[in-house]
């Protein structure tokens, strides 16, 4: 099986920064893409960013482009989401997930972490 553990969430003021981490363990072979999604209360889960496990092909939702950066550290089996210039509308639970394909559709992601809360105060 695969385990994904997120960390790094918290409370930050508008304009601040946070870095989320997602550590993967277990049988990750064959799952080549890591994605970050977020979900606010009452909203559907939405795509934020994804990256190939080799570090290639980062892709972002328009709402975070230019503010968020996804990266990975293969030696640590960890993917990061650096979030800068945070806005109140970024407030949500953030989840990392593994997929075999480069997709923005959450249904194509096979394994999920438990989520970490990000709250941006105005």
């Amino acid at each position: 099986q695969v385990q994904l553990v997120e960390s790094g969430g918290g409370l930050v003021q508008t304009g601040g920064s946070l870095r989320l981490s997602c550590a993967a363990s277990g049988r990750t072979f064959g799952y080549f893409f890591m994605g970050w999604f977020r979900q606010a209360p009452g909203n559907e889960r939405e795509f934020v960013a994804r990256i190939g496990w080799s570090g290639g092909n980062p892709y972002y939702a328009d709402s975070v482009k230019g503010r968020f950066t996804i990266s990975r550290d293969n030696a640590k089996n960890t993917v990061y989401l650096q979030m800068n210039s945070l806005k109140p509308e970024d407030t949500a639970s953030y989840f990392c997930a593994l997929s075999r394909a480069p997709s923005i559709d959450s249904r194509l992601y096979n394994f999920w972490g438990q989520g970490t809360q990000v709250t941006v105060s105005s």
Side-chain angles (χ1 to χ4, degrees), residues 23-109:
S25 61
R27 301 179 66 177
T28 60
F29 180 79
Y31 295 91
F32 300 113
F33 296 89
M34 179 75 82
W36 283 99
F37 291 79
R38 65 187 181 187
Q39 187 168 21
N43 290 356
E44 294 185 354
R45 189 165 294 188
E46 67 170 340
F47 169 79
V48 175
R50 71 159 192 261
I51 192 168
W53 199 243
S54 63
N57 302 317
Y59 185 79
Y60 301 91
D62 287 343
S63 59
V64 307
K65 201 173 296 182
R67 300 187 298 122
F68 291 10
T69 302
I70 190 171
S71 62
R72 92 287 178 258
D73 183 335
N74 281 345
K76 296 182 178 179
N77 256 11
T78 298
V79 173
Y80 303 98
L81 186 68
Q82 177 66 43
M83 306 186 296
N84 298 330
S85 301
L86 283 162
K87 305 174 181 180
E89 50 263 46
D90 295 318
T91 295
S93 291
Y94 283 71
F95 301 86
C96 62
L98 273 178
S99 173
R100 297 183 184 275
S103 176
I104 65 172
D105 187 342
S106 62
R107 295 171 296 180
L108 297 183
Y109 284 76

Side-chain angles (χ1 to χ4, degrees), residues 12-24:
V12 65
Q13 292 185 334
T14 297
S17 298
L18 283 173
R19 189 177 80 156
L20 306 183
S21 300
C22 176

